[in-house]
Amino acid sequence: ASELQIDALEPIGFEFQDSYAYANISQRGNSSVRRSVPQILLATWDAFRLVILADAFDNIHLTITDVKISEVPGASQWRLSTWELPEDDKEGTPYIRDEAYVQGFLVPGQLQVFNAFGQTGRENAAILGRESDLFFDMTSSAAIPAGSDLLVRAGGAGP
């Protein structure tokens, strides 16, 4: 068994409290995969620590679900650390065996729509089959540079 801790370093605002994980594990040189549900030891706003039953040199594909992504835009940065118990005292305090700092994915920020309405001529509604104007009042937690594409999809109420 191995303990793994994942710390969200940047940007602030990730939340792991309601998260859970599962792993697909395969042995090196073997194509068969077994599924494992790790035991969660810690799930806080910026850290997730779990125990995975795996052997040395196993390939582990870990999925963590229901993570609240930060509303702060920017490149994510992570610290991954493995932990183990002292050889001479299995009841002792775990210590960090190895750690790595990893650049992750780009957090796009959050778009909030406060109001949306349509107008067709003098009618304060979008009318199917007619040309209408749609209005959206929104803010973004990330800067949207000039020349950027902002794609908005509005679903109709029709069949």
Side-chain angles (χ1 to χ4, degrees), residues 32-98:
S32 66
V33 175
R34 66 181 168 87
R35 190 173 182 112
S36 174
V37 178
Q39 176 186 359
I40 298 170
L41 302 176
L42 174 75
T44 65
W45 62 276
D46 65 345
F48 195 72
R49 189 167 175 179
L50 45 92
V51 175
I52 300 175
L53 295 176
D55 294 324
F57 303 108
D58 279 352
N59 295 314
I60 303 168
H61 179 94
L62 180 66
T63 300
I64 303 172
T65 64
D66 294 337
V67 178
K68 181 179 181 254
I69 303 296
S70 173
E71 295 176 9
V72 178
S76 64
Q77 293 185 4
W78 306 86
R79 181 178 68 173
L80 306 177
S81 53
T82 57
W83 296 67
E84 68 180 30
L85 293 170
E87 288 287 326
D88 55 345
D89 182 10
K90 295 299 183 186
E91 299 296 319
T93 303
Y95 63 92
I96 293 178
R97 181 170 183 254
D98 196 12

Side-chain angles (χ1 to χ4, degrees), residues 7-151:
D7 295 294
L9 304 175
E10 295 284 334
I12 61 169
F14 284 91
E15 293 183 17
F16 290 101
Q17 288 100 330
D18 298 324
S19 301
Y20 67 94
Y22 62 90
N24 291 323
I25 302 171
S26 61
Q27 294 177 332
R28 186 166 54 177
N30 187 342
S31 61
S32 66
V33 175
R34 66 181 168 87
R35 190 173 182 112
S36 174
V37 178
Q39 176 186 359
I40 298 170
L41 302 176
L42 174 75
T44 65
W45 62 276
D46 65 345
F48 195 72
R49 189 167 175 179
L50 45 92
V51 175
I52 300 175
L53 295 176
D55 294 324
F57 303 108
D58 279 352
N59 295 314
I60 303 168
H61 179 94
L62 180 66
T63 300
I64 303 172
T65 64
D66 294 337
V67 178
K68 181 179 181 254
I69 303 296
S70 173
E71 295 176 9
V72 178
S76 64
Q77 293 185 4
W78 306 86
R79 181 178 68 173
L80 306 177
S81 53
T82 57
W83 296 67
E84 68 180 30
L85 293 170
E87 288 287 326
D88 55 345
D89 182 10
K90 295 299 183 186
E91 299 296 319
T93 303
Y95 63 92
I96 293 178
R97 181 170 183 254
D98 196 12
E99 66 182 352
Y101 292 84
V102 179
Q103 178 96 14
F105 52 90
L106 182 63
V107 178
Q110 182 181 34
L111 192 64
Q112 290 183 315
V113 178
F114 298 103
N115 188 20
F117 65 94
Q119 185 165 348
T120 305
R122 293 185 177 172
E123 295 289 325
N124 285 332
I127 299 174
L128 293 175
R130 301 209 22 222
E131 198 168 296
S132 302
D133 294 321
L134 301 177
F135 300 89
F136 297 90
D137 293 328
M138 65 181 101
T139 61
S140 172
S141 66
I144 301 174
S148 295
D149 291 330
L150 179 63
L151 177 63

